[in-house]
Amino acid sequence: MYVSFTLSVSMNFKCFDGLCLLQLAIGVEGGFSSGPKYEIESEYAVVLLPDFDTKVPLSRFVFHICQIIIENEGVQRQEIIEEGINVWEGEARVNTRHLNLEQMDNGKRIPPWGWKCEEEGCDLKENLWLNLTDGAIMCGRSQFIQEGVMSKGRNHARLHFDLTGYPLVVKLGTITKDDADVFSYDEDESVRDPNLKKHLIHFGIDMDKTEKTEKSTLEMELDLNQK
């Protein structure tokens, strides 16, 4: 795998009575850009150890085995998604501490489609998160999905937590009969909710009848990591 990238840093020195300060510009024109500015190329090779000699003749059988191994990456990806392993830290999701989450009996029922961010003035209809305490539907944060492209989001779900303290949210469109993209704000990580089916049915969502229409945060991270 080959990785190349370029950093553009704008520096400005200011001196006062012999003391010099370095000003580093980040995220502004002429400064360091925090977005992904790299290209990744992957190359497969059969090598002979211990010298990593790549001049290894391949029979048709060995070549076929190599193809099977390469294609098996799709299986590995699925295993990562099912285990909820963090792409960058290599840690699997843990169960949330909010197994007995108190939910408001406000009579709210969530339709199977047609969702929209409920924050006043926000018209986003994707990247929406359902708060499992009060049933509020708010948009998530914007994040990179590919070079120069970011998902839509204004972080209203986080702002709702800051105002209410209601911690557990699930991403609408990622709910299947087995799992969903669940995030806990006060635990500051993606989590598993063993009682998710109960928490969702409280707002009229039956996991056995839902259809996955959006990628989870983990799937988006995997896509970005493979570009």
Side-chain angles (χ1 to χ4, degrees):
M1 178 178 291
Y2 305 93
V3 180
S4 62
F5 56 89
T6 302
L7 300 181
S8 176
V9 180
S10 176
M11 294 181 291
N12 183 30
F13 287 94
K14 294 183 179 180
C15 296
F16 305 91
D17 295 329
L19 176 63
C20 292
L21 302 177
L22 172 62
Q23 183 181 46
L24 178 65
I26 299 176
V28 298
E29 184 176 356
F32 172 74
S33 175
S34 58
K37 298 294 182 182
Y38 52 81
E39 294 181 358
I40 298 177
E41 294 183 6
S42 298
E43 181 178 294
Y44 297 95
V46 176
V47 299
L48 185 62
L49 298 177
D51 299 323
F52 287 88
D53 183 8
T54 59
K55 297 179 180 179
V56 181
L58 299 181
S59 66
R60 182 173 298 180
F61 174 75
V62 174
F63 181 80
H64 177 66
I65 295 299
C66 292
Q67 287 295 114
I68 293 176
I69 294 174
I70 293 172
E71 292 171 0
N72 192 51
E73 284 193 345
V75 177
Q76 294 174 342
R77 174 188 171 95
Q78 187 60 34
E79 289 177 349
I80 290 174
I81 293 172
E82 290 177 356
E83 292 297 324
I85 298 174
N86 185 288
V87 176
W88 310 112
E89 299 176 2
E91 297 179 353
R93 284 183 300 167
V94 298
N95 288 347
T96 178
R97 63 183 179 217
H98 301 294
L99 299 180
N100 299 314
L101 182 74
E102 291 188 18
Q103 296 181 277
M104 290 185 178
D105 189 13
N106 54 13
K108 188 169 186 178
R109 293 295 179 267
I110 307 301
W113 56 76
W115 312 301
K116 178 182 176 182
C117 180
E118 296 175 352
E119 180 68 21
E120 185 177 356
C122 185
D123 57 356
L124 292 183
K125 298 180 180 180
E126 59 187 83
N127 188 19
L128 300 176
W129 296 74
L130 170 69
N131 191 290
L132 292 174
T133 297
D134 62 357
I137 297 176
M138 299 287 177
C139 62
R141 64 180 176 86
S142 179
Q143 66 182 92
F144 282 101
I145 54 179
Q146 65 183 58
E147 173 69 22
V149 180
M150 298 189 71
S151 63
K152 296 180 180 179
R154 296 168 183 164
N155 214 19
H156 287 139
R158 170 73 201 205
L159 295 176
H160 185 69
F161 162 72
D162 291 339
L163 289 173
T164 64
Y166 304 152
L168 212 58
V169 293
V170 58
K171 186 176 182 181
L172 294 172
T174 68
I175 302 169
T176 67
K177 64 182 181 65
D178 300 313
D179 200 8
D181 193 354
V182 181
F183 190 85
S184 175
Y185 283 112
D186 63 351
E187 295 171 270
D188 194 27
E189 62 180 337
S190 294
V191 295
R192 289 190 182 279
D193 179 9
N195 293 331
L196 182 59
K197 188 168 186 176
K198 171 187 173 183
H199 291 154
L200 287 173
I201 205 69
H202 180 84
F203 293 109
I205 299 178
D206 187 346
M207 291 182 68
D208 294 329
K209 298 179 180 179
T210 56
E211 180 180 351
K212 192 172 186 295
T213 58
E214 285 199 35
K215 290 183 178 180
S216 67
T217 304
L218 177 57
E219 288 173 313
M220 294 169 67
E221 289 178 355
L222 283 171
D223 289 345
L224 181 60
N225 194 42
Q226 291 176 350
K227 291 184 182 297

